[in-house]
Amino acid sequence: MGQTLTEKILDDHLVEGALEPGEEIGIEIDQVLTQDTTGTLVWLQFEALGLEEVQTELAAQYCDHQTYQFDFKNTDDHRFLRSAAGTFGAYFSRPGNGICHNVHKENFAAPGKTLLGSDSHTPTPGGLGQLAIGSGGLDVAVAMGGGAYYIDMPEVVNVRLEGELPEWATAKDVVLEMLRRLSVKGGVGKIFEYTGPGVETLAVPERTTITNMGTELGATSSIFPTDEKTEDYLARQGRADEYVELQPDDDAEYADQITIDLSDLEPLVAEPSMPDNIVPVREVAGQEVDQVIIGSCTNGGYSDILPAAKMLEDRSIEPDTEMIIAPGSKKASEMLAREGWTAELMAAGVNYSESTCGACIGIGHVPGSDSVSLRTFNRNFEGRSGIEDDNVYLCSPEVAAAGAIAGEIVDPRDLAEEMDGLEDPGFELPDAYEGAENDIIAPENPVDDELVKGPNIGDVPLKEPLDADLAGPTLLKMADNITTDHIIPATQDILMYRSNIPKLSEFTLSRVDDDFAERALDSDGGFLVAGENYGQGSSREHAALCPMYLGVEGVLARSFARIHKANLFNFGLLPLEIDEETYERIEEGDNVEVVDDVSEAVRSGREEFTVRVNDEWEATGHLDASAREREILADGGKLTHVKQQHDESGAAPADD
Ligand code: MIC
Ligand code: SF4
């Protein structure tokens, strides 16, 4: 039987297990990436594991999320990260050089290689044939130290692209169409592999818009085969020699197939406040827009900004609408400036930002109260923009630029009919990607050789091994699709404590319930109850670490998002799946007991656990975990587990 492209790359990197869907596999990681808001814990854990040198072919540390450095704590984090990259042997991309996914794509992403990153949009370079996966920081630290990365073998689903995009429809509409069909849970446990005649009609940056936002489907990753377009893209990046031809076998078998006829697509938009609230733009046309932003790791590249610049050339944006462009990388920024496009945009009334995630997580350009923001980003979870009750719509750069010209949401096809000379700007690549040459510090020429820790940078707390009996109140009952932005928000007031867990913990679940942290600390243990897809969104391990610090012992949920569930194991929290009836019946404040020598049962492979509520009724909680995850959980988390193994064997700390 033939292999899918995903299976071929996994096969090449397999160190443990078999490529059977649902079975745990261990894979070798070639490249890792980390960024400023997850990276500090990555390196603190790397240090705590006693590791001394990066073992992967390549490791890259980016500073992209909080580059305005509003507080010395952010600047100290960046300083620490530079010192860690220098000390342990990673590339360091300076603050303002751009978003990790954009800069990695430009400089390091390579077909056929595996990439693990402590950011949920790590799958972005799947658009050029790299198998890239997002994970918690501790998994990245272990992989960087030479350990394997473990996941349950995902189902490989074929997305067959046919036809060609019509005028004004874009790659963003392809992935919004996927979200319309499948929802934010539709990709859990899956890798989407794109094939079909439509693939060759898309340039690499268009493909990476699609693979980037596969994360919003909950997918483990998304990947395209490689072809002339990939080779051409790498050549323009000055890396033609890294091209490798990669295709699935003709007789590859997929778990499922989805067909999208590109020629049927039209401009789409995600309405507030979930990326799967998809409607055609024309259905919300006329909605006044206060703010428009083009940027982010989804649509912040050179070829995303250029169409907007062409649409705005010799035009102006509406006076009551503000428009901001935040390029995804300084390279894109520099190229657009050299070509004169930045001046055109400024003349049209656009504000130009440094290359940063910024507004995507509510850092800068926070929308006004009772206002509407139209953005080319990938997430519009409520409150993520920095204000509760926000109204954030997600769309392509073309729809964003049209919205700024009209001052309201408008289908660009209709605007083009009304406006003389407004044409579909099309998709264009630069002849060569050149610029920002001084913003990456190579490990061969580090500027630091020892760690520099500011006063806000603390240790990573450890948990005790799992108890025989777990008991405590239901501290909070939550709905479906709770995001890690609900658990630990990423806005500036909170983000600056990412390296200070005791302080950060005070904000745990504050977006759901202001008093949560205090109540959790007072109650000396307890449980969280949630609906489906608990922990979707970001990879931030703080969303497991902070509840652990507050004494939470476990989470009872209808289902879990992949990365968050791995993070719960990594920090020793018991993730039990419950059925709908139990979810409906259990109330906040109820006393929960998970009975019968939990620690021993976890180790011995028991899947069903008795959950006793208020000493009145019982339900069953299901533990879906591999033998390895069970050991990690019972030991009190991965840091303790890996250290223990190291002490027993005397070998270098790696996870196996
Ligand atoms: C996000 O888009 O939510 C983030 C901020 O990039 C996160 C990482 C983080 O929380 O630092 C992610 O996607 O993993
Ligand atoms: Fe940055 Fe937003 Fe992309 Fe996350 S989704 S990496 S915050 S641009």
Side-chain angles (χ1 to χ4, degrees):
M1 195 180 70
Q3 283 187 310
T4 64
L5 173 52
T6 305
E7 286 166 341
K8 287 185 184 186
I9 301 178
L10 286 175
D11 224 2
D12 272 357
H13 292 84
L14 197 66
V15 292
E16 216 176 303
L19 301 182
E20 296 295 329
E23 256 207 44
E24 189 177 73
I25 53 169
I27 54 171
E28 190 188 343
I29 297 299
D30 301 320
Q31 302 187 343
V32 301
L33 73 74
T34 179
Q35 38 91 338
D36 49 354
T37 57
T38 54
T40 52
L41 282 193
V42 170
W43 293 111
L44 289 170
Q45 293 174 125
F46 192 84
E47 186 193 20
L49 286 167
L51 296 164
E52 282 169 6
E53 208 182 344
V54 167
Q55 299 296 321
T56 45
E57 284 173 22
L58 181 139
Q61 171 65 57
Y62 299 94
C63 291
D64 49 358
H65 282 64
Q66 202 339 349
T67 62
Y68 301 123
Q69 303 176 328
F70 286 128
D71 192 283
F72 80 89
K73 301 180 192 66
N74 307 121
T75 323
D76 278 2
D77 278 353
H78 292 159
R79 184 75 187 84
F80 168 64
L81 294 172
R82 193 184 79 193
S83 73
T87 307
F88 297 122
Y91 283 89
F92 180 71
S93 172
R94 299 208 290 208
N97 188 38
I99 304 172
C100 52
H101 311 300
N102 297 60
V103 183
H104 201 82
K105 180 168 72 177
E106 289 168 351
N107 293 279
F108 303 120
K113 301 276 184 194
T114 51
L115 166 69
L116 191 72
S118 62
D119 191 281
S120 66
H121 290 98
T122 300
T124 308
L128 44 79
Q130 177 155 40
L131 188 68
I133 301 178
S135 76
L138 183 47
D139 289 325
V140 168
V142 169
M144 202 153 61
Y149 175 61
Y150 292 86
I151 38 164
D152 289 344
M153 175 65 195
E155 286 188 340
V156 185
V157 174
N158 180 212
V159 186
R160 190 178 157 78
L161 301 180
E162 290 175 351
E164 204 165 333
L165 286 169
E167 281 207 333
W168 295 105
T170 67
K172 182 65 160 274
D173 301 308
V174 178
V175 71
L176 294 182
E177 172 65 12
M178 288 285 283
L179 279 151
R180 189 186 70 76
R181 292 195 200 179
L182 303 179
S183 89
V184 290
K185 319 192 275 282
V188 176
K190 296 180 180 151
I191 291 187
F192 291 110
E193 196 168 305
Y194 289 80
T195 67
V199 166
E200 66 181 38
T201 69
L202 300 172
V204 165
E206 293 178 289
R207 298 177 191 178
T208 56
T209 290
I210 297 171
T211 47
N212 171 283
M213 221 174 153
T215 297
E216 276 50 64
L217 291 155
T220 304
S221 193
S222 304
I223 192 164
F224 277 74
T226 62
D227 56 13
E228 279 169 20
K229 288 255 162 89
T230 324
E231 194 170 9
D232 172 65
Y233 174 80
L234 284 167
R236 288 171 203 251
Q237 293 285 7
R239 300 194 287 125
D241 54 330
E242 291 176 32
Y243 177 70
V244 183
E245 198 188 322
L246 293 167
Q247 294 283 336
D249 289 329
D250 290 341
D251 56 346
E253 272 187 31
Y254 291 94
D256 203 355
Q257 178 166 315
I258 297 165
T259 304
I260 295 183
D261 189 342
L262 299 176
S263 45
D264 287 344
L265 294 180
E266 63 172 312
L268 299 172
V269 70
E271 291 190 278
S273 291
M274 214 27 95
D276 60 1
N277 277 344
I278 309 293
V279 293
V281 173
R282 60 189 157 75
E283 278 185 22
V284 283
Q287 166 66 60
E288 276 186 31
V289 170
D290 301 278
Q291 181 193 58
V292 173
I293 312 186
I294 295 183
S296 88
C297 55
T298 316
N299 279 122
Y302 172 92
S303 301
D304 298 306
I305 299 169
L306 187 60
K310 287 181 182 168
M311 287 170 70
L312 285 164
E313 191 177 8
D314 299 327
R315 295 197 172 87
S316 55
I317 62 170
E318 269 296 288
D320 56 358
T321 304
E322 284 173 24
M323 181 168 180
I324 299 106
I325 291 189
S329 70
K330 199 191 256 185
K331 193 176 276 205
S333 206
E334 192 179 324
M335 290 190 307
L336 290 159
R338 286 188 194 280
E339 290 168 12
W341 290 110
T342 310
E344 289 296 337
L345 287 164
M346 286 180 167
V350 169
N351 287 334
Y352 218 73
S353 151
E354 64 186 78
S355 301
T356 181
C357 296
C360 184
I361 39 170
I363 297 179
H365 305 296
V366 176
S369 55
D370 196 18
S371 71
V372 169
S373 181
L374 183 63
R375 302 173 166 204
T376 65
F377 302 173
N378 48 35
R379 289 181 173 152
N380 58 349
F381 304 143
E382 195 186 348
R384 180 172 160 102
S385 68
I387 174 171
E388 299 302 321
D389 303 322
D390 51 8
N391 291 295
V392 176
Y393 290 74
L394 307 174
C395 65
S396 67
E398 285 78 351
V399 172
I405 294 170
E408 58 184 41
I409 297 185
V410 60
D411 186 323
R413 295 172 299 182
D414 295 334
L415 191 68
E417 241 170 59
E418 274 169 35
M419 280 188 99
D420 262 0
L422 182 66
E423 284 171 9
D424 180 354
F427 195 85
E428 208 182 301
L429 294 171
D431 292 339
Y433 287 85
E434 278 166 359
E437 306 303 340
N438 292 322
D439 279 282
I440 296 184
I441 297 172
E444 302 78 62
N445 300 308
V447 286
D448 310 88
D449 55 8
E450 62 180 42
L451 297 179
V452 181
K453 291 183 190 169
N456 182 51
I457 299 178
D459 293 331
V460 184
L462 293 175
K463 185 178 176 293
E464 294 295 312
L466 204 62
D467 283 338
D469 286 304
L470 302 183
T474 301
L475 295 162
L476 193 61
K477 181 173 174 181
M478 294 167 276
D480 289 347
N481 292 324
I482 289 293
T483 71
T484 48
D485 275 321
H486 289 103
I487 309 173
I488 288 290
T491 44
Q492 166 58 20
D493 46 336
I494 301 176
L495 194 78
M496 62 185 171
Y497 298 113
R498 283 280 180 104
S499 316
N500 178 346
I501 301 306
K503 181 69 192 169
L504 188 70
S505 301
E506 293 173 14
F507 299 93
T508 309
L509 283 159
S510 55
R511 201 169 268 166
V512 185
D513 177 344
D514 252 353
D515 304 325
F516 174 80
E518 226 180 294
R519 199 165 66 244
L521 266 183
D522 286 351
S523 87
D524 191 25
F527 293 86
L528 297 173
V529 173
E532 290 200 50
N533 201 21
Y534 179 69
Q536 69 154 331
S538 138
S539 66
R540 64 192 73 138
E541 58 194 342
H542 310 76
L545 180 51
C546 292
M548 180 276 264
Y549 181 80
L550 295 175
V552 172
E553 317 237 31
V555 184
L556 312 180
R558 297 287 324 281
S559 65
F560 293 89
R562 179 187 68 88
I563 303 178
H564 186 61
K565 187 172 171 193
N567 286 336
L568 290 173
F569 286 125
N570 283 353
F571 293 99
L573 270 70
L574 179 70
L576 284 185
E577 275 159 43
I578 50 171
D579 61 16
E580 191 173 355
E581 200 190 324
T582 311
Y583 172 76
E584 294 300 339
R585 200 166 166 197
I586 200 161
E587 302 284 346
E588 203 164 299
D590 280 356
N591 263 312
V592 168
E593 239 183 302
V594 184
V595 288
D596 272 359
D597 205 350
V598 181
S599 166
E600 184 43 39
V602 164
R603 280 193 212 276
S604 68
R606 198 202 299 159
E607 290 181 1
E608 315 270 278
F609 287 77
T610 301
V611 178
R612 190 173 297 147
V613 184
N614 292 337
D615 257 336
E616 284 165 9
W617 55 279
E618 287 185 353
T620 302
H622 186 86
L623 178 65
D624 179 12
S626 68
R628 192 189 55 86
E629 287 165 333
R630 286 168 180 276
E631 290 300 318
I632 290 174
L633 180 60
D635 284 348
K638 187 162 175 168
L639 211 48
T640 317
H641 171 78
V642 176
K643 273 176 147 177
Q644 260 177 23
Q645 281 194 322
H646 173 51
D647 292 346
E648 280 162 23
S649 70
D655 176 35
D656 50 33

